[in-house]
Amino acid sequence: MKKLFTLVAVMGMLTFGASSIVSAQEGNEATPDTAVAQQDTLAAQQDTVGLTDEVAEPVVEEPTLHKAIKTKFIEGGPGFMSAILLTLIIGLAIVIERIIYLNLSTTNTKKLLNAIEEALDKGGVEAAKEVCRNTRGPVASIFYQGLDRVHEGIEVVEKSIVTYGSVMMGQLEKGLTWISLFIAIAPMLGFMGTVIGMIGAFDAIQAAGDISPALVAGGIKVALITTVFGLIVAVILQVFYNYLLSKIDSITNDMEDASVSLLDILVKFNLKK
């Protein structure tokens, strides 16, 4: 019985040991396969990255608007391009000054008329004049001139308003002639630069003794750049010029309507005396 038990135990141990050896061998055999698979995967990834690098095109940095304008400015030549740029700078300076002046000259005429009428009822002409002195703009100045001559009659007040209104119109339109001059000069400078550039291109052709397409195209390109910049400056100044005209027309209409209303208020004030 003991021999049989010992035999069974030995057989079991041999079976378990054989199974362990087989499992270890299978594990050792599986490990190289896994390593090979990992190597294949890494190789595939490297090939993919290599293909991507080969296919990808180099990134080309696009020139900015500032650089493009600077390049064209240099190509057009410093002489006429500087003159056109100076025209634009001076024209815009006058435009900005006029815009600020006209915006400050804009007055709420209805509010001013109500204040003047209330001041006349409570404090008389001097109170109304004080309201005009404390209000900025050409409308208040015209009203002050009219109120200052109330004692001379309505007809004198009307003439005073009309006369001083013409003076205010001259101040509103101040500087517009210079803007219109720059609008005309800018394209002329551009055309002049183009003509001179064309003359230079033909001189180069004459010196070379042969008509080269590259030589002719380069000269014409440089010549036309001045025309383009001159037209651009003229267009910019023309837009602002029309805006200023519309602003002046609006202020003028308010001045005329408010002047008529002021005369009506003064007539009522004289009738109350």
Side-chain angles (χ1 to χ4, degrees), residues 1-72:
M1 188 68 182
K2 290 182 180 180
K3 292 181 179 180
L4 181 60
F5 180 78
T6 303
L7 182 61
V8 172
V10 171
M11 292 295 294
M13 292 177 63
L14 292 174
T15 304
F16 179 75
S19 300
S20 299
I21 293 171
V22 171
S23 299
Q25 290 178 353
E26 289 178 354
N28 293 331
E29 291 175 359
T31 300
D33 293 339
T34 304
V36 172
Q38 292 177 355
Q39 290 177 358
D40 293 339
T41 304
L42 291 174
Q45 291 178 354
Q46 291 176 357
D47 293 338
T48 303
V49 173
L51 290 174
T52 304
D53 293 338
E54 292 178 358
V55 173
E57 297 180 356
V59 179
V60 179
E61 184 180 356
E62 296 183 358
T64 60
L65 180 61
H66 174 72
K67 291 183 179 179
I69 294 176
K70 182 178 179 180
T71 302
K72 295 299 181 182

Side-chain angles (χ1 to χ4, degrees), residues 69-87 189 193 196-197 222-223 225-226 229:
I69 294 176
K70 182 178 179 180
T71 302
K72 295 299 181 182
F73 184 88
I74 296 173
E75 291 179 355
F80 285 97
M81 295 298 289
S82 298
I84 295 172
L85 180 61
L86 183 63
T87 301
L189 290 173
I196 293 176
V222 172
I225 289 175
T226 57
F229 273 82

Side-chain angles (χ1 to χ4, degrees), residues 70-120:
K70 182 178 179 180
T71 302
K72 295 299 181 182
F73 184 88
I74 296 173
E75 291 179 355
F80 285 97
M81 295 298 289
S82 298
I84 295 172
L85 180 61
L86 183 63
T87 301
L88 176 62
I89 293 173
I90 298 176
L92 288 179
I94 298 175
V95 165
I96 293 172
E97 186 272 333
R98 286 291 89 191
I99 290 175
I100 295 174
Y101 179 83
L102 293 177
N103 286 330
L104 294 177
S105 299
T106 304
T107 307
N108 190 343
T109 55
K110 292 183 179 180
K111 183 178 179 180
L112 179 60
L113 287 170
N114 292 332
I116 290 175
E117 187 174 7
E118 183 178 355
L120 285 173

Side-chain angles (χ1 to χ4, degrees), residues 87-100 102-103 172-183 231-249:
T87 301
L88 176 62
I89 293 173
I90 298 176
L92 288 179
I94 298 175
V95 165
I96 293 172
E97 186 272 333
R98 286 291 89 191
I99 290 175
I100 295 174
L102 293 177
N103 286 330
L172 293 175
E173 295 177 351
K174 182 180 178 181
L176 293 183
T177 54
W178 288 105
I179 298 175
S180 61
L181 175 64
F182 293 143
I183 292 173
L231 292 175
I232 291 174
V233 170
V235 169
I236 293 173
L237 294 179
Q238 184 67 53
V239 171
F240 284 111
Y241 180 77
N242 289 346
Y243 168 77
L244 293 175
L245 286 181
S246 64
K247 190 73 175 177
I248 292 172
D249 290 340

Side-chain angles (χ1 to χ4, degrees), residues 199-234:
I199 294 173
F202 283 111
D203 288 340
I205 293 172
Q206 183 179 5
D210 188 14
I211 299 177
S212 174
L215 184 62
V216 176
I220 294 175
K221 174 186 174 183
V222 172
L224 292 177
I225 289 175
T226 57
T227 300
V228 172
F229 273 82
L231 292 175
I232 291 174
V233 170

